[in-house]
Amino acid sequence: MRALRRWTTLVVALAGAAMLGLLLWSMARRHPQDMPWAPLDLGQPVGLFTGRKLTALTQDHAQCLALLERAGIRHNRLPDRRDGPQCGYDDVVRFTAGGARTIGYRPASLGISCPVAASLALWEWDSVQPAARDLLGAQVVAIDHLGSYNCRRISGRSSSDWSEHASANAIDVAGFRLNDGRRISVARDWKDDGPAGRFLHRVRDDACRLFATTLSPDYNAAHADHFHLDQAYRGPMGWRACR
């Protein structure tokens, strides 16, 4: 019993020290998003817990919509949809022109869950546009995608779990269009050793900080031509996938 008390005391002390270290590090960086208890603010730099806070929005639709409004992300809410017991959505939005965002989506009819929309906006501001300027000397004006909502299971197998696409909680990104006319393609440029390849790898790595699941051509052949990004909720401390 005495040994158990000593072990419990040690665990509590280590946890306290870790939280104190995290607090001091966050204060030094002036990033409230590094703290797990700080409210999510889409106007703040991406921090250690930003990704988990974005994923948690799947459990609070009202908060998610309020964050979009506060950040100046213009959008329309789409009507709820139900396609059987496993497919459908009730929190899907469509980006509209203007506001704080500058990147369009092709096709423009994209409908995505609110948490994915919030994550895409942060990805644009904190990763995609800075990477395009740094590595390509240009700006991204549009993102080519392969869609979001699709009532299907993972990998199309009848025995697998339902995909996040079945609730529009995912998007497949195929490429990026620049303001100088160039197009960066996941299928063509992923293995490129030059700026285009470095750009794709950088934005993939940054997406891992924001999305619960980020899959690229490094994952398998099924993702050779796109990035799969989703906000699958697996609990407050659930596992996250980055490949």
Short mmCIF file of all heavy atoms in Angstrom, two decimals, residues 38-73:
data_model
loop_
_atom_site.label_atom_id
_atom_site.label_comp_id
_atom_site.label_asym_id
_atom_site.label_seq_id
_atom_site.Cartn_x
_atom_site.Cartn_y
_atom_site.Cartn_z
N ALA A 38 -7.08 26.60 -23.11
CA ALA A 38 -7.37 27.89 -23.76
C ALA A 38 -8.42 27.71 -24.84
O ALA A 38 -8.35 26.77 -25.64
CB ALA A 38 -6.09 28.46 -24.37
N PRO A 39 -9.45 28.58 -24.89
CA PRO A 39 -10.48 28.45 -25.92
C PRO A 39 -9.87 28.56 -27.32
O PRO A 39 -8.92 29.31 -27.54
CB PRO A 39 -11.42 29.63 -25.63
CG PRO A 39 -11.15 30.01 -24.21
CD PRO A 39 -9.71 29.71 -23.98
N LEU A 40 -10.43 27.83 -28.25
CA LEU A 40 -9.96 27.89 -29.63
C LEU A 40 -10.28 29.25 -30.23
O LEU A 40 -11.39 29.75 -30.10
CB LEU A 40 -10.64 26.78 -30.45
CG LEU A 40 -10.28 26.73 -31.94
CD1 LEU A 40 -8.79 26.46 -32.14
CD2 LEU A 40 -11.10 25.65 -32.64
N ASP A 41 -9.29 29.82 -30.89
CA ASP A 41 -9.44 31.10 -31.59
C ASP A 41 -8.78 30.94 -32.95
O ASP A 41 -7.56 30.77 -33.03
CB ASP A 41 -8.79 32.22 -30.79
CG ASP A 41 -8.97 33.59 -31.41
OD1 ASP A 41 -9.38 33.67 -32.60
OD2 ASP A 41 -8.69 34.59 -30.73
N LEU A 42 -9.57 30.99 -34.01
CA LEU A 42 -9.02 30.79 -35.36
C LEU A 42 -8.09 31.91 -35.77
O LEU A 42 -7.35 31.77 -36.75
CB LEU A 42 -10.16 30.65 -36.37
CG LEU A 42 -11.13 29.48 -36.13
CD1 LEU A 42 -12.20 29.44 -37.22
CD2 LEU A 42 -10.40 28.16 -36.05
N GLY A 43 -8.08 33.00 -35.03
CA GLY A 43 -7.19 34.11 -35.34
C GLY A 43 -5.83 33.98 -34.70
O GLY A 43 -4.94 34.79 -34.96
N GLN A 44 -5.64 32.97 -33.84
CA GLN A 44 -4.37 32.76 -33.16
C GLN A 44 -3.48 31.82 -33.97
O GLN A 44 -3.96 31.01 -34.75
CB GLN A 44 -4.60 32.16 -31.77
CG GLN A 44 -5.24 33.11 -30.78
CD GLN A 44 -4.29 34.21 -30.33
OE1 GLN A 44 -3.07 34.03 -30.35
NE2 GLN A 44 -4.84 35.34 -29.94
N PRO A 45 -2.16 31.91 -33.78
CA PRO A 45 -1.26 30.96 -34.45
C PRO A 45 -1.58 29.53 -34.03
O PRO A 45 -2.11 29.28 -32.95
CB PRO A 45 0.13 31.39 -33.95
CG PRO A 45 -0.02 32.79 -33.49
CD PRO A 45 -1.42 32.91 -32.98
N VAL A 46 -1.25 28.59 -34.88
CA VAL A 46 -1.47 27.18 -34.58
C VAL A 46 -0.56 26.76 -33.43
O VAL A 46 0.64 27.05 -33.44
CB VAL A 46 -1.20 26.31 -35.82
CG1 VAL A 46 -1.29 24.83 -35.47
CG2 VAL A 46 -2.19 26.66 -36.92
N GLY A 47 -1.15 26.12 -32.42
CA GLY A 47 -0.38 25.68 -31.26
C GLY A 47 -0.43 24.18 -31.09
O GLY A 47 -0.95 23.44 -31.93
N LEU A 48 0.07 23.72 -29.95
CA LEU A 48 0.18 22.28 -29.69
C LEU A 48 -1.18 21.58 -29.68
O LEU A 48 -1.29 20.43 -30.08
CB LEU A 48 0.88 22.06 -28.35
CG LEU A 48 2.38 22.36 -28.28
CD1 LEU A 48 2.88 22.15 -26.86
CD2 LEU A 48 3.14 21.47 -29.24
N PHE A 49 -2.21 22.27 -29.20
CA PHE A 49 -3.51 21.64 -29.03
C PHE A 49 -4.55 22.14 -30.02
O PHE A 49 -5.72 21.80 -29.91
CB PHE A 49 -4.01 21.85 -27.59
CG PHE A 49 -3.23 21.07 -26.57
CD1 PHE A 49 -2.11 21.62 -25.99
CD2 PHE A 49 -3.60 19.78 -26.23
CE1 PHE A 49 -1.37 20.90 -25.06
CE2 PHE A 49 -2.87 19.05 -25.31
CZ PHE A 49 -1.75 19.61 -24.72
N THR A 50 -4.12 22.94 -31.00
CA THR A 50 -5.09 23.46 -31.98
C THR A 50 -5.80 22.33 -32.71
O THR A 50 -7.03 22.36 -32.89
CB THR A 50 -4.38 24.38 -32.99
OG1 THR A 50 -3.79 25.48 -32.29
CG2 THR A 50 -5.37 24.92 -34.01
N GLY A 51 -5.05 21.32 -33.15
CA GLY A 51 -5.66 20.23 -33.90
C GLY A 51 -6.73 19.51 -33.10
O GLY A 51 -7.81 19.22 -33.63
N ARG A 52 -6.45 19.20 -31.85
CA ARG A 52 -7.44 18.51 -31.02
C ARG A 52 -8.67 19.39 -30.76
O ARG A 52 -9.79 18.89 -30.68
CB ARG A 52 -6.81 18.06 -29.71
CG ARG A 52 -5.80 16.93 -29.91
CD ARG A 52 -5.42 16.27 -28.60
NE ARG A 52 -4.50 15.16 -28.85
CZ ARG A 52 -4.88 13.93 -29.18
NH1 ARG A 52 -6.18 13.66 -29.31
NH2 ARG A 52 -3.99 12.98 -29.38
N LYS A 53 -8.45 20.68 -30.62
CA LYS A 53 -9.58 21.59 -30.41
C LYS A 53 -10.45 21.66 -31.66
O LYS A 53 -11.68 21.75 -31.57
CB LYS A 53 -9.07 22.98 -30.01
CG LYS A 53 -8.41 23.01 -28.65
CD LYS A 53 -7.75 24.35 -28.38
CE LYS A 53 -6.96 24.32 -27.08
NZ LYS A 53 -6.25 25.62 -26.84
N LEU A 54 -9.82 21.63 -32.83
CA LEU A 54 -10.59 21.62 -34.07
C LEU A 54 -11.40 20.34 -34.19
O LEU A 54 -12.58 20.37 -34.56
CB LEU A 54 -9.65 21.76 -35.26
CG LEU A 54 -9.02 23.13 -35.48
CD1 LEU A 54 -7.85 23.03 -36.46
CD2 LEU A 54 -10.05 24.14 -36.00
N THR A 55 -10.79 19.21 -33.87
CA THR A 55 -11.51 17.94 -33.93
C THR A 55 -12.67 17.92 -32.95
O THR A 55 -13.75 17.40 -33.24
CB THR A 55 -10.56 16.77 -33.64
OG1 THR A 55 -9.45 16.82 -34.54
CG2 THR A 55 -11.26 15.43 -33.79
N ALA A 56 -12.48 18.52 -31.78
CA ALA A 56 -13.53 18.55 -30.76
C ALA A 56 -14.76 19.33 -31.22
O ALA A 56 -15.86 19.14 -30.67
CB ALA A 56 -12.99 19.14 -29.46
N LEU A 57 -14.60 20.18 -32.22
CA LEU A 57 -15.76 20.93 -32.73
C LEU A 57 -16.81 20.00 -33.33
O LEU A 57 -17.96 20.40 -33.52
CB LEU A 57 -15.30 21.95 -33.78
CG LEU A 57 -14.43 23.10 -33.27
CD1 LEU A 57 -13.98 23.97 -34.45
CD2 LEU A 57 -15.17 23.94 -32.24
N THR A 58 -16.45 18.77 -33.65
CA THR A 58 -17.44 17.82 -34.15
C THR A 58 -18.52 17.55 -33.10
O THR A 58 -19.61 17.07 -33.44
CB THR A 58 -16.79 16.48 -34.54
OG1 THR A 58 -16.14 15.92 -33.40
CG2 THR A 58 -15.77 16.68 -35.65
N GLN A 59 -18.22 17.87 -31.84
CA GLN A 59 -19.17 17.65 -30.75
C GLN A 59 -19.92 18.92 -30.37
O GLN A 59 -20.74 18.88 -29.45
CB GLN A 59 -18.42 17.11 -29.52
CG GLN A 59 -17.52 15.93 -29.80
CD GLN A 59 -18.27 14.76 -30.39
OE1 GLN A 59 -19.16 14.20 -29.76
NE2 GLN A 59 -17.91 14.38 -31.63
N ASP A 60 -19.65 20.03 -31.04
CA ASP A 60 -20.29 21.30 -30.69
C ASP A 60 -20.48 22.14 -31.95
O ASP A 60 -19.68 23.01 -32.27
CB ASP A 60 -19.43 22.06 -29.67
CG ASP A 60 -20.17 23.22 -29.02
OD1 ASP A 60 -21.15 23.71 -29.62
OD2 ASP A 60 -19.76 23.64 -27.92
N HIS A 61 -21.57 21.87 -32.67
CA HIS A 61 -21.82 22.55 -33.94
C HIS A 61 -22.00 24.06 -33.75
O HIS A 61 -21.54 24.85 -34.57
CB HIS A 61 -23.06 21.96 -34.62
CG HIS A 61 -22.91 20.51 -34.95
ND1 HIS A 61 -23.97 19.73 -35.37
CD2 HIS A 61 -21.83 19.68 -34.91
CE1 HIS A 61 -23.54 18.49 -35.58
NE2 HIS A 61 -22.26 18.44 -35.30
N ALA A 62 -22.69 24.45 -32.69
CA ALA A 62 -22.96 25.88 -32.47
C ALA A 62 -21.66 26.65 -32.27
O ALA A 62 -21.48 27.75 -32.82
CB ALA A 62 -23.88 26.06 -31.27
N GLN A 63 -20.73 26.09 -31.48
CA GLN A 63 -19.46 26.76 -31.27
C GLN A 63 -18.68 26.86 -32.57
O GLN A 63 -18.04 27.89 -32.86
CB GLN A 63 -18.62 26.01 -30.24
CG GLN A 63 -17.27 26.70 -29.97
CD GLN A 63 -16.30 25.83 -29.19
OE1 GLN A 63 -16.56 24.64 -28.98
NE2 GLN A 63 -15.19 26.40 -28.78
N CYS A 64 -18.72 25.81 -33.38
CA CYS A 64 -17.98 25.82 -34.64
C CYS A 64 -18.49 26.94 -35.55
O CYS A 64 -17.70 27.70 -36.11
CB CYS A 64 -18.12 24.46 -35.33
SG CYS A 64 -17.11 24.33 -36.82
N LEU A 65 -19.79 27.04 -35.69
CA LEU A 65 -20.36 28.08 -36.55
C LEU A 65 -20.01 29.47 -36.01
O LEU A 65 -19.73 30.39 -36.78
CB LEU A 65 -21.87 27.92 -36.66
CG LEU A 65 -22.33 26.67 -37.42
CD1 LEU A 65 -23.84 26.49 -37.27
CD2 LEU A 65 -21.96 26.77 -38.90
N ALA A 66 -20.02 29.63 -34.68
CA ALA A 66 -19.68 30.92 -34.09
C ALA A 66 -18.22 31.28 -34.38
O ALA A 66 -17.89 32.45 -34.64
CB ALA A 66 -19.92 30.88 -32.58
N LEU A 67 -17.33 30.28 -34.36
CA LEU A 67 -15.92 30.54 -34.66
C LEU A 67 -15.73 30.96 -36.10
O LEU A 67 -14.91 31.85 -36.40
CB LEU A 67 -15.10 29.29 -34.37
CG LEU A 67 -14.86 28.97 -32.89
CD1 LEU A 67 -14.24 27.58 -32.74
CD2 LEU A 67 -13.96 30.01 -32.25
N LEU A 68 -16.47 30.36 -37.04
CA LEU A 68 -16.39 30.78 -38.43
C LEU A 68 -16.81 32.24 -38.58
O LEU A 68 -16.16 33.02 -39.27
CB LEU A 68 -17.28 29.89 -39.31
CG LEU A 68 -16.92 28.41 -39.47
CD1 LEU A 68 -17.82 27.77 -40.53
CD2 LEU A 68 -15.47 28.21 -39.83
N GLU A 69 -17.91 32.60 -37.94
CA GLU A 69 -18.40 33.98 -38.02
C GLU A 69 -17.37 34.95 -37.45
O GLU A 69 -17.07 35.98 -38.05
CB GLU A 69 -19.72 34.10 -37.24
CG GLU A 69 -20.88 33.32 -37.84
CD GLU A 69 -21.44 33.96 -39.10
OE1 GLU A 69 -21.06 35.11 -39.40
OE2 GLU A 69 -22.27 33.31 -39.76
N ARG A 70 -16.82 34.60 -36.29
CA ARG A 70 -15.88 35.49 -35.62
C ARG A 70 -14.62 35.69 -36.45
O ARG A 70 -13.99 36.76 -36.42
CB ARG A 70 -15.53 34.92 -34.25
CG ARG A 70 -14.87 35.91 -33.28
CD ARG A 70 -14.67 35.24 -31.93
NE ARG A 70 -15.92 34.68 -31.44
CZ ARG A 70 -16.00 33.55 -30.76
NH1 ARG A 70 -14.90 32.84 -30.51
NH2 ARG A 70 -17.16 33.10 -30.34
N ALA A 71 -14.22 34.66 -37.19
CA ALA A 71 -12.99 34.73 -37.98
C ALA A 71 -13.21 35.35 -39.35
O ALA A 71 -12.25 35.49 -40.12
CB ALA A 71 -12.40 33.33 -38.13
N GLY A 72 -14.43 35.71 -39.68
CA GLY A 72 -14.71 36.31 -40.99
C GLY A 72 -14.69 35.31 -42.13
O GLY A 72 -14.41 35.68 -43.28
N ILE A 73 -15.01 34.05 -41.83
CA ILE A 73 -15.05 33.01 -42.86
C ILE A 73 -16.47 32.95 -43.41
O ILE A 73 -17.38 32.41 -42.76
CB ILE A 73 -14.63 31.64 -42.28
CG1 ILE A 73 -13.21 31.74 -41.71
CG2 ILE A 73 -14.72 30.56 -43.35
CD1 ILE A 73 -12.80 30.54 -40.88
#
